[in-house]
Amino acid sequence: AVVLRHFALTYETVIFAALTDVVGQAPFRHMVTPGGFQMSAAMTSCGGFGWLADRTGYRYNTTDPQTGLPWPPLPDALLRLGIEAATAAGYPSFVPDACLINRYAVGAKMSLHQDKDEPDLGAPIVSVSLGLPANFQFGGLRREDKPLRVQLTHGDVVVWGGPARLYFHGVLPIKDGVHPLTGAFRINLTFRKVSK
Ligand code: SIN
Ligand code: FE2
């Protein structure tokens, strides 16, 4: 697992243009977990697959259930960012086919979890942080493993794969603040390879 500080900063303008386009087609929504809890982060996706949570479970789908349409395509600038960050972290053959977009308002969080809905665990996860800072937790293979706490700020990228691919991770509640580009939000993009 690698933290690439500020890696996404040079992509900032193209990222926000791409996000405006994606969110116009597939708006942010709060999903409900199988346990019946509404997730505090609002989500959407782009690429060939989008991630979904509902009362029946967690999965990827090629269409957005909210619109009935395919998820918006993965914008070329985002695809390049995902590939270049993975390459910089030592995963030169990574080609993402999905990007999950999380939007955290102040107080929103993500509990410790594993990213395990992707069939090909040989591909890493590439995570891009934008806007308000986050305290990211990065643990081990067992939920009980004491997580490291890493502060992630605008433009930081985290990549994890190989033996760390299934490590538990999460986000502590976002602290109050204002960022010049995102206002009172943190945005996180995770690039994933979902096809086998
Ligand atoms: C995730 O685990 O899907 C998101 C992590 C983050 O928001 O930094
Ligand atoms: Fe995750």
Side-chain angles (χ1 to χ4, degrees):
V2 180
V3 182
L4 304 168
R5 294 284 179 202
H6 311 314
F7 190 89
L9 277 187
T10 54
Y11 291 82
E12 184 182 85
T13 312
V14 288
I15 292 173
F16 282 101
L19 288 181
T20 303
D21 194 34
V22 166
V23 171
Q25 298 171 67
F28 282 113
R29 78 288 309 262
H30 290 275
M31 299 196 215
V32 176
T33 66
F37 295 99
Q38 188 181 75
M39 299 183 74
S40 61
M43 297 181 180
T44 186
S45 290
C46 59
F49 302 88
W51 186 83
L52 296 174
D54 63 20
R55 292 308 296 256
T56 69
Y58 303 108
R59 65 188 173 280
Y60 285 94
N61 207 356
T62 55
T63 54
D64 176 356
Q66 200 162 286
T67 62
L69 298 171
W71 293 101
L74 185 58
D76 195 53
L78 296 189
L79 177 65
R80 278 186 287 119
L81 168 59
I83 290 173
E84 283 174 26
T87 300
Y91 299 95
S93 54
F94 178 63
V95 181
D97 55 15
C99 178
L100 172 62
I101 306 165
N102 292 131
R103 187 186 65 188
Y104 299 79
V106 171
K109 65 179 176 61
M110 192 166 297
S111 306
L112 279 178
H113 66 279
Q114 295 170 294
D115 290 359
K116 58 179 184 190
D117 301 321
E118 304 76 20
D120 179 4
L121 295 173
I125 301 286
V126 173
S127 164
V128 177
S129 291
L130 301 164
L132 288 182
N135 283 309
F136 183 63
Q137 296 177 293
F138 197 74
L141 276 178
R142 295 172 308 161
R143 186 180 291 280
E144 306 73 50
D145 293 336
K146 187 177 157 47
L148 296 172
R149 189 188 287 196
V150 185
Q151 159 128 299
L152 298 178
T153 61
H154 181 72
D156 289 347
V157 178
V158 186
V159 182
W160 63 95
R165 176 61 180 73
L166 287 176
Y167 280 16
F168 277 87
H169 57 279
V171 176
L172 294 173
I174 301 296
K175 293 189 179 135
D176 195 8
V178 178
H179 187 276
L181 286 172
T182 63
F185 292 98
R186 169 177 185 259
I187 307 277
N188 174 263
L189 315 178
T190 45
F191 296 97
R192 296 132 186 263
K193 176 176 176 278
V194 176
S195 62
K196 297 182 192 122

